[in-house]
Amino acid sequence: MTAQRGAAGRDEPTPAAMRAATARGLQEQFPGVRVWFGEATGSWWAMVPLRDGPRLLEAATPQQLRDEIMNLRHRG
């Protein structure tokens, strides 16, 4: 994880490193699902493999994306 110096002189993760860690965590929670943060869109994205083909999801927050993945997998 990349770090930058915080006000107290401690290394703090950069926003990009925190987003990467969040994406990895979601991918670990949902094996086979590809998760990323869209720098250009400011949205969270997931490609979810399903029986009838992959589905692309977009959400404003990681929690919303997690909920969308769970709902999609539950339905189909």
Side-chain angles (χ1 to χ4, degrees), residues 13-31:
T14 64
M18 291 183 348
R19 288 190 296 266
T22 299
R24 279 193 306 274
L26 285 168
Q27 289 178 164
E28 289 170 3
Q29 186 176 2
F30 300 105

Side-chain angles (χ1 to χ4, degrees), residues 12-73:
E12 297 177 4
T14 64
M18 291 183 348
R19 288 190 296 266
T22 299
R24 279 193 306 274
L26 285 168
Q27 289 178 164
E28 289 170 3
Q29 186 176 2
F30 300 105
V33 174
R34 174 78 170 104
V35 175
W36 68 95
F37 178 77
E39 294 289 334
T41 62
S43 296
W44 287 89
W45 296 86
M47 183 64 72
V48 183
L50 299 171
R51 281 178 290 185
D52 56 348
R55 175 92 182 267
L56 182 63
L57 299 177
E58 178 184 14
T61 68
Q63 181 62 43
Q64 289 174 347
L65 187 63
R66 179 187 173 278
D67 293 346
E68 290 287 331
I69 294 168
M70 289 180 65
N71 287 338
L72 185 61
R73 284 198 159 176

